[in-house]
Amino acid sequence: MGPKGTWTGLHCDVFGSYSWSANVVGRKKWWFLQPKDEPWFLDRFGNCPPDLTNVDEAAFPDFHKCTVLEVIQEPGELFFVPSKWYHQVVNLEDTISINHNWCSACNLDMMADTLLKELHSVEEMLSDCRKQLEDNGEWHQEVEKILHCSGAWNLKVFCTFVAFMEQQLCTTTQQSELSAFKVRAVSHVSAVLKADPFVKSLPGSPWPSLVVG
């Protein structure tokens, strides 16, 4: 719910998830940037312009090469936002909308990759105090806390989610091309997670046989 003129700056949905947004009342204007244009709208630190209507050309000199899609969303319309598509939104009128982030077998690997990259970034950020945190038994707790703050997910939550899907798919009686694709996708992500050193030593892991040290 937002009054006329309120807006959300350019951003990408958390950890490469999909999202949908349904307008109940009011109109919105959306701007979209495609993932292929990231080299032109992300700086060397991975930051994007906060406002597409006022891009700093000195900070983003190649932004003019981007294809910016502009769309008006009317009442009763639902928009789907694919993974990794940066977007900005402004309420053109007093607006009520319903929004939801989600994932499927099609983008689960992208979510895992994004989350693991964020994990390794946090590990690097805390590297100076890693030994002290490990000696106090606080390493996993602090890393997970920072991950959760940045996107409301952390490795324990995501691994539990993947393990649950893996268990459900193993017990399904469906025999179809779609169900086979889901099994392959979830199994691949599960294997990637299980191979990560942080996950291997994560207390409370949904795969307890992995936990070492």
Side-chain angles (χ1 to χ4, degrees):
M1 183 182 299
K4 179 179 179 179
T6 53
W7 61 292
T8 302
L10 186 65
H11 68 285
C12 180
D13 286 322
V14 60
F15 297 134
S17 59
Y18 302 132
S19 68
W20 57 258
S21 178
N23 260 16
V24 180
V25 175
R27 300 167 68 243
K28 292 184 177 185
K29 182 174 182 178
W30 293 70
W31 293 263
F32 293 96
L33 289 171
Q34 303 172 68
K36 70 179 182 65
D37 289 346
E38 281 189 6
W40 301 324
F41 68 80
L42 295 183
D43 65 18
R44 63 192 181 95
F45 301 108
N47 298 316
C48 63
D51 182 4
L52 286 179
T53 66
N54 186 26
V55 177
D56 183 349
E57 294 182 3
F60 302 93
D62 293 322
F63 183 79
H64 65 278
K65 299 178 182 179
C66 297
T67 300
V68 182
L69 307 178
E70 299 184 15
V71 189
I72 303 298
Q73 185 180 20
E74 303 289 346
E77 292 185 341
L78 183 147
F79 279 10
F80 168 72
V81 182
S83 295
K84 297 291 188 177
W85 278 62
Y86 279 72
H87 49 284
Q88 179 171 322
V89 191
V90 62
N91 292 320
L92 301 177
E93 304 170 355
D94 293 344
T95 304
I96 298 175
S97 63
I98 302 172
N99 310 281
H100 187 64
N101 290 81
W102 57 289
C103 70
S104 70
C106 294
N107 72 331
L108 191 65
D109 60 336
M110 190 178 299
M111 287 192 68
D113 180 65
T114 305
L115 184 55
L116 288 174
K117 284 180 179 177
E118 184 71 13
L119 163 69
H120 300 150
S121 175
V122 172
E123 288 181 311
E124 177 66 23
M125 180 178 66
L126 295 178
S127 59
D128 289 347
C129 55
R130 177 167 185 159
K131 187 178 186 309
Q132 179 182 352
L133 290 170
E134 287 181 335
D135 289 345
N136 294 334
E138 298 174 343
W139 173 247
H140 290 89
Q141 177 184 338
E142 291 305 313
V143 172
E144 288 281 77
K145 186 187 300 181
I146 294 173
L147 279 175
H148 192 273
C149 287
S150 67
W153 282 64
N154 56 28
L155 258 298
K156 183 177 179 181
V157 171
F158 189 69
C159 288
T160 301
F161 173 60
V162 172
F164 174 78
M165 287 193 295
E166 193 173 29
Q167 181 181 27
Q168 293 297 304
L169 288 169
C170 285
T171 58
T172 185
T173 57
Q174 289 183 321
Q175 298 295 327
S176 67
E177 187 174 335
L178 178 59
S179 60
F181 168 75
K182 290 179 179 179
V183 169
R184 289 194 301 271
V186 174
S187 297
H188 169 72
V189 170
S190 175
V192 168
L193 291 171
K194 291 174 182 177
D196 187 85
F198 185 89
V199 176
K200 284 184 177 180
S201 57
L202 181 63
S205 167
W207 303 293
S209 59
L210 284 181
V211 179
V212 292

